[in-house]
Structure formats: C-alpha cells, structure tokens
C-alpha cells in the first residue's frame, strides 16, 4: 500500500506562543512497512499543554521533539496495514503518535479500543485516554486521598481538573476548584458538584485569602496543573502532612525567560508536606482497567465531562492556541 499524507513537524523551537514559523506542514509518503510496523489512519488527535513543553529543548519527562520531527501527540484511529503480530487491519487503537493524517507505528505505547466499545471513538482521547487516566490514577492512587480530605484543584475546568474533581467527590472528599471565568466556575459548582470554586483572575492579588476562605481547615491535597502564582498561593494554605500532586505547569510553558519561584516553597518544610511528580505513563499496564472503571462511572452517571472538537487538519495550530488563552473548556481535540 502506498500512502501520501500531511503532517505537522517542528521546524524551529518556539519562543513564547507557537507560530507557523515554528510548526510547518509537509507531505510524506509510505510505500512499504517493515516487519513490526503498522499504519494507522488517524480520526482524531489530541491538543494538550504538554506538547508545548516537548517543543522546547529543556529537559522533560520525554525527550524534546527533534527539529524536523512530527509534533508528538496522542491519536486515535484505525489500523489500515500491519506487519505487527499484535495488531490487525481494522483494529481501532489509541496511543502516542503525532499531528498527522496517518501514523507509522512500531506499537509503542499503543492500546486497542475494546471490540465491544459503545462510546464515540474520540472518548479514547478524552475520558478514556491519557487525560481521563491522568485524572483517575492521580486522584485514586497518587494523591492518597481519603474521605473527608480537602482537595484543591487548579485548572479545574480543564479536562484533567474537571474529571479529577468529580472522582474526588465520589470518594467523599471536599473539592475546591480554581478556574478563570465566571461561566467555568458556575459549571463546576452547579453541574459537577464542586463544593466551592474560585475565579483566580478576579481574585488575582488576593488569591491566598480566597483559598483560605474556601478551605478554612487548610488543603490536604493540592493537584497542581499550572504552577506559578497559583502554586504559591496554595502553598500558604497547606495543612500539616499535605500532599502536592505535581501534574503540570501550564503557566510556564510559553515563558521566554527563566521563571522565578515558587517563592513559598519553604511551606513544604513548615507543613511536613510531600511533593510528588506524577506521570500517567507509570500506569501504562493498568490503562485498560482504568478506562473500564471510568466507563462504568460514566454509564452510572457519576461523572460528566466536556470536550471541544475542532475540525480540519489546517486548523491545528489555531486550535492549539486555545489551550493558552483559556478559551477552551474540557478536553480539546482535532478531527482530522
């Protein structure tokens, strides 16, 4: 099978927001597969803040995307040709590939969609994919939450934050969210059942006090998706023996200069707190079980989630910018 398709590759490392000069489009050809390879026709690919970090040359939990390489991303699609013993033509799969119409894979970090799947395929990039599994394992395991704990969730209206907050509520925790618009705050409280929500933009300069008012007995677990000033305010509201789950730092991804702080890091010592870096890849062997657990919660209407799908390959970069201007709610994806 000979296939010609479009992909987006990293031409140069961005400074600040990613531009068309940084990420460019090209056409590539696949004429023949080697043994152990498979070809996937991508239906959707993911738009995540972490991708911006991978574009940088700074050390990360994954190697930086090399100049000239396709932009790394999660995808979901259908196997159209295979010389891999574990995958057959017609299998629907999700995993780590790239911003491209087709993906040539060796099967690394690739999982099959269950044959009895009853949900839309894009759910495997959202609630059943890396985003949902990040929330699931981060809350049910890494955070060491127990009933009665107070969880403070940053980026609470985002894909990880909104699911993670609901999972904590299901465990009997008190959940306080941080979001950037009144509409998002209203959604989290009225529809998802968060106990309290803070608009961190309107409370800028007074965030420490706002968190204190919403968490009068202090924070047992802070789930950090953003870093920066919000992390500093959270640090001043920790309870003794608090846990911080460090999942992301979106506030720094577009920084063009070294980022100071956190200024209040000394609170880790003062409160005998624990900071734990969390990568969902550590749970890869449990992905299928985690997705099944989330599917059960969804069927039982114990969780809800929002997503936004942008259509058209050519709209990838403009859609990606929505992650950093706060205009998206829930999981952001592109339909190829």
């Amino acid at each position: 099978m000979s296939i010609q398709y479009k992909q987006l590759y990293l031409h140069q490392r961005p400074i600040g927001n990613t531009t068309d000069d940084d990420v460019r489009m090209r056409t590539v050809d696949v004429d023949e597969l080697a043994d152990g390879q498979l070809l996937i026709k991508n239906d959707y690919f993911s738009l995540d803040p972490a991708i911006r970090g991978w574009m940088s040359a700074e050390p990360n939990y994954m190697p930086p995307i090399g100049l000239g390489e396709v932009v790394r991303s999660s995808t979901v699609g259908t196997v159209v040709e295979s010389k891999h013993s574990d995958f057959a033509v017609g299998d629907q799969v999700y995993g780590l590939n790239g911003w491209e119409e087709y993906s040539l894979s060796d099967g690394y970090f690739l999982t099959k969609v269950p044959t009895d799947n009853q949900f839309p395929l894009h759910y495997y990039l959202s609630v059943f994919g890396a985003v949902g599994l990040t929330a699931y394992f981060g809350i049910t395991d890494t955070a060491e939450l127990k009933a009665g704990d107070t969880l403070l969730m940053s980026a609470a209206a985002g894909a990880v934050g909104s699911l993670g907050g609901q999972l904590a509520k299901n465990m009997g925790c008190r959940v306080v969210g941080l979001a950037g618009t009144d509409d998002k705050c209203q959604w989290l409280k009225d529809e998802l059942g968060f106990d309290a929500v803070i608009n961190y933009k309107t409370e800028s300069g007074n965030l420490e006090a706002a968190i204190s008012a919403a968490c009068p007995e202090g924070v047992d677990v802070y789930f950090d998706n953003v870093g920066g000033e919000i992390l500093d305010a959270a640090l001043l509201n920790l309870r003794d023996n608090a846990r911080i789950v460090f999942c992301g730092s979106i506030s720094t991804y577009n920084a063009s200069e070294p980022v100071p702080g956190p200024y209040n890091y000394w609170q880790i010592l003062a409160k005998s707190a624990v900071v734990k870096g969390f990568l969902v890849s550590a749970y890869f062997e449990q992905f299928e079980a985690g997705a099944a657990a989330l599917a059960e919660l969804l069927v039982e209407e114990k969780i809800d989630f929002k997503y936004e799908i942008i259509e058209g390959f050519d709209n990838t970069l403009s859609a990606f910018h929505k992650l950093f201007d706060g205009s998206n709610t829930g999981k952001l994806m592109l339909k190829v």
Side-chain angles (χ1 to χ4, degrees):
M1 178 184 292
S2 179
I3 294 287
Q4 187 177 78
Y5 62 92
K6 293 185 292 186
Q7 67 177 195
L8 291 163
Y9 70 97
L10 187 64
H11 176 71
Q12 63 185 20
R13 303 213 178 272
I15 299 174
N17 289 324
T18 308
T19 70
D20 292 331
D21 289 329
D22 306 321
V23 174
R24 296 185 179 181
M25 188 181 298
R26 67 187 174 201
T27 300
V28 296
D29 296 283
V30 173
D31 293 322
E32 186 176 353
L33 272 60
D35 288 341
Q37 290 185 319
L38 62 150
L39 187 66
I40 304 159
K41 184 180 186 299
N42 293 321
D43 291 287
Y44 301 88
F45 56 70
S46 187
L47 302 170
D48 300 298
I51 296 170
R52 176 60 183 83
W54 300 336
M55 293 179 183
S56 169
E58 296 297 320
N60 208 311
Y61 59 87
M62 295 189 72
I65 300 169
L67 296 182
E69 292 181 356
V70 64
V71 176
R72 186 187 303 137
S73 172
S74 297
T75 71
V76 62
T78 303
V79 177
V80 294
E81 187 175 356
S82 178
K83 289 188 176 180
H84 194 296
S85 58
D86 294 336
F87 300 92
V89 172
D91 285 346
Q92 292 181 315
V93 294
Y94 60 103
L96 194 61
N97 293 299
W99 286 355
E100 51 192 353
E101 294 177 310
Y102 288 77
S103 290
L104 188 63
S105 172
D106 60 5
Y108 170 74
F109 215 74
L110 204 61
T111 304
K112 293 181 184 179
V113 174
T115 55
D116 61 351
N117 172 47
Q118 58 182 305
F119 301 98
L121 194 58
H122 60 75
Y123 277 33
Y124 287 87
L125 287 186
S126 54
V127 66
F128 305 146
V131 164
L133 295 170
T134 294
Y136 181 76
F137 292 115
I139 290 295
T140 63
D141 189 62
T142 303
E144 299 181 6
L145 279 164
K146 59 185 182 297
D149 278 351
T150 294
L151 169 73
L152 179 64
M153 176 67 75
S154 63
V160 171
S162 59
L163 283 169
Q166 292 174 82
L167 292 167
K169 283 294 296 180
N170 289 337
M171 295 170 64
C173 299
R174 186 170 187 275
V175 177
V176 177
L178 293 150
T181 70
D182 289 339
D183 286 344
K184 290 179 180 181
C185 291
Q186 201 74 28
W187 172 62
L188 290 167
K189 192 167 184 180
D190 293 350
E191 297 188 36
L192 301 191
F194 280 51
D195 295 283
V197 188
I198 300 164
N199 186 330
Y200 68 86
K201 290 185 178 178
T202 59
E203 294 291 345
S204 179
N206 194 41
L207 193 52
E208 175 195 341
I211 295 172
S212 178
C215 308
E217 296 183 8
V219 173
D220 294 292
V221 173
Y222 174 52
F223 203 102
D224 188 14
N225 293 302
V226 300
E229 295 178 2
I230 294 176
L231 170 59
D232 265 319
L235 288 171
L236 291 174
N237 283 282
L238 299 179
R239 293 188 71 180
D240 288 342
N241 302 306
R243 286 87 68 203
I244 297 172
V245 179
F246 183 21
C247 186
S249 187
I250 192 172
S251 69
T252 67
Y253 291 159
N254 283 322
S256 56
E257 297 179 356
V259 178
Y263 293 106
N264 297 321
Y265 190 70
W266 61 277
Q267 285 292 314
I268 302 299
L269 172 62
K271 297 299 173 66
S272 299
V274 173
V275 181
K276 187 168 184 179
F278 167 63
L279 295 175
V280 72
S281 56
Y283 293 87
F284 178 66
E285 299 300 325
Q286 301 176 56
F287 274 15
E288 290 187 33
L294 288 164
E296 185 175 346
L297 290 169
L298 196 61
V299 169
E300 294 173 351
E301 298 184 349
K302 291 183 177 179
I303 57 172
D304 193 8
F305 72 103
K306 279 189 177 181
Y307 58 86
E308 182 176 355
I309 297 174
I310 306 296
E311 295 196 20
F313 190 85
D314 293 348
N315 295 321
T316 300
L317 206 55
S318 60
F320 185 57
H321 292 156
K322 292 171 67 68
L323 293 166
F324 303 98
D325 63 22
S327 61
N328 72 298
T329 299
K331 173 61 185 162
L332 187 63
M333 296 169 277
L334 187 125
K335 184 177 181 180
V336 180

